[in-house]
Amino acid sequence: MIQTSHKILLGGNWSASSDAQAAFHAWNPATGESLPDSYPVSGTGDINASLAAGKTAAQELEQIDPEVRAGFLDQYAQAIQDDAERLAETASRETGLPLRPRLLEVEIPRTVNQLRQAAHWTREGSWQRATIDTASNIRSHLAPLGGPVIIFGPNNFPFAFNAVSGGDFAAAIAAGNPVIAKAHPAHPETSRLLAKLASDASQEFGLPGATVQMLYHFPNELGMVLVSATETAAVAFTGSRPGGMRLKAAADAAGVPIYLELSSLNPVFVLPGSVRERGSAIASELAGSCNLGGGQFCTKPGLIVLEGGADSAGFISTMRQSFADAPEPVLLMADSASRIKESLEVLTAAGAEILAGGSPGTRAGFRFQPTLLKVSGTTFLKEATALQREAFGPVALLVVADDEKQMPAIASAMDGNLTATVYSDSAGTDDNLYQEITTIVRPRVGRLLNDKVPTGVAVVPSMQHGGPFPATGHPGFTSVGLPASICRFAALQCYDSVRPHRLPKALADANPN
């Protein structure tokens, strides 16, 4: 068996992998250098052991007061806050993301806030949607699923979406389910440190040992086994469309609910009046949003639609110059540049022209030049499928419509997305076109924005971080925004004429006498 530096978190204990056949190292994307520690690639034995332990933990968790789960979430949040410096330094080495402001001042506080919000809603309990029909003596509420929730974390948010600390984790625990976290191989040490804090807090509050489990990595085929196992209650995945669709096929075949966050272009419509009114300012704002975090946000505005003509020339020129002047960002993965290059080949073959960038970076580490492309509206309508190819990085496509009448047609060719943004003028000259375009795009996106970039995702109850396929697997759910996000990991349970003393506490009559 392969010897590695680190153990997996299994059934409440840090254990050597029972059947690791390989080991892997993380990389420092800013330098391109391999980091020294090694981590196990788990086999079938680890998968089966985590499932069995998770199933037992689920049954035990159902008997534990919600206040205990809430206390655990609060304690875990505090532990992350107290250890923020070490966590951020580790994540920065593994991801190349800046210590400040990104990790220490933005992402870790957001993660702590999510966990504390989850603790609040665990105590408050309204997410259960208790329905008491006294006349018929039928009651129902949302309750834990009775098995472990499998969470696949992405590479771009080592804390806020981490499988062992992020929003999916917080929601699954709030609903009363144990978690089997699949760490992302881009940041295994960050995940290990988080899992240690979570495990310690779990033990302090007397939760079942397998409430939090973590595997670093396993072959793709074992991912299919994990999501389709009879013990698995639900799955949450954030990542690429190809990987997510393979997991979805396996989960669907087994009848396991799976919640996906996949690719999204987040189209932006810059209406003619807004271009005349403040075109350069909008162009600069969008360029900054496109390149924020190396363009590796799921809400990056990757496709920008505007009307052609004299008014748009300055907008396009500002965008081009902003991309040309932007520094080569650090990318998260060793193969990120090659994947961007593949996407650019598809886009240019479909008729797009590169205005700026287009090549891998020249500095050390994993980098790619900020890249802006342009295509006519007519060509876009002919090649809409190919031209909606996502390039996960500092890449955006300008779609220049022949006239404003073509803009609604372009909107009609859009796939489902997480967001859509419309910029319009303050005088109201764009209002009719705005109404026409938003009527088309509103059912195609989860979040509609006016006059602001979509990259910020507020952690508030009203947020919808989801959308129609292929942005996600189901338009009715969100991965951000408590308490709504909790409901993904709950079952609707009905009690018909069940005797009062046998009812769950949430379904008892307020005045039993």
Side-chain angles (χ1 to χ4, degrees), residues 22-375:
F24 71 96
H25 294 258
W27 298 80
N28 184 332
T31 64
E33 297 173 335
S34 173
L35 296 174
D37 288 10
S38 61
Y39 303 85
V41 178
S42 288
T44 304
D46 293 343
I47 296 289
N48 291 339
S50 67
L51 286 167
K55 184 67 175 180
T56 299
Q59 296 166 350
E60 296 172 352
L61 272 175
E62 290 184 2
Q63 309 305 315
I64 292 177
D65 191 286
E67 176 59 37
V68 178
R69 297 201 313 277
F72 156 69
L73 290 165
D74 274 334
Q75 175 64 25
Y76 184 25
Q78 187 62 48
I80 292 174
Q81 183 171 305
D82 292 345
D83 205 15
E85 289 280 350
R86 179 176 66 145
L87 290 168
E89 289 169 359
T90 302
S92 185
R93 280 194 301 274
E94 292 186 321
T95 64
L97 297 171
L99 203 63
R100 290 183 170 87
R102 166 66 191 269
L103 295 175
L104 265 176
E105 296 164 14
V106 179
E107 193 174 339
I108 288 180
R110 168 181 168 162
T111 305
V112 169
N113 178 40
Q114 286 175 165
L115 291 166
R116 287 180 172 155
Q117 285 191 34
H120 164 76
W121 292 109
T122 300
R123 294 186 176 99
E124 194 266 356
S126 64
W127 66 270
Q128 296 176 78
R129 300 177 186 171
T131 303
I132 300 174
D133 184 347
T134 306
S136 66
N137 199 16
I138 297 175
R139 302 137 198 266
S140 65
H141 72 155
L142 293 174
L145 293 168
V149 173
I150 316 301
I151 301 177
F152 292 78
N155 60 9
N156 57 343
F157 283 89
F159 298 107
F161 282 84
N162 193 297
V164 76
S165 69
D168 290 334
F169 173 89
I173 296 292
N177 307 289
V179 166
I180 299 175
K182 162 59 171 70
H184 196 284
H187 43 249
E189 183 61 13
T190 303
S191 299
R192 185 188 71 81
L193 294 175
L194 288 167
K196 179 66 166 59
L197 296 178
S199 179
D200 289 349
S202 174
Q203 291 178 16
E204 182 176 336
F205 278 82
L207 293 177
T211 297
V212 182
Q213 300 184 90
M214 188 190 69
L215 305 176
Y216 294 103
H217 202 23
F218 40 72
N220 289 342
E221 61 270 19
L222 288 186
M224 312 305 162
V225 172
L226 183 61
V227 304
S228 61
T230 56
E231 298 92 342
T232 297
V235 181
F237 170 88
T238 304
S240 70
R241 188 188 300 187
M245 292 305 295
R246 288 193 293 270
L247 290 174
K248 177 174 167 52
D252 286 349
V256 174
I258 182 168
Y259 301 97
L260 307 163
E261 185 188 324
L262 305 173
S263 58
S264 183
L265 288 178
N266 307 299
V268 176
F269 294 84
V270 187
L271 304 190
S274 68
V275 174
R276 291 189 294 270
E277 183 179 64
R278 59 190 194 283
S280 292
I282 296 172
S284 296
E285 184 176 73
L286 286 173
S289 181
C290 291
N291 290 300
L292 184 66
Q296 297 167 117
F297 283 10
C298 50
T299 49
K300 177 196 73 176
L303 192 148
I304 300 162
V305 184
L306 72 160
E307 181 189 12
D311 291 331
S312 68
F315 181 98
I316 295 171
S317 177
T318 299
M319 286 283 289
R320 184 207 305 255
Q321 195 61 49
S322 296
F323 271 77
D325 292 344
E328 300 170 353
V330 175
L331 303 178
L332 294 164
M333 303 289 288
D335 63 350
S336 293
S338 63
R339 291 190 178 192
I340 292 173
K341 193 69 175 175
E342 290 175 5
S343 293
L344 293 182
E345 290 171 356
V346 172
L347 294 170
T348 54
E353 168 194 3
I354 294 177
L355 300 182
S359 299
T362 56
R363 297 172 57 196
F366 310 149
R367 300 177 188 269
F368 203 93
Q369 296 175 346
T371 300
L372 181 67
L373 302 95
K374 184 182 75 169
V375 71

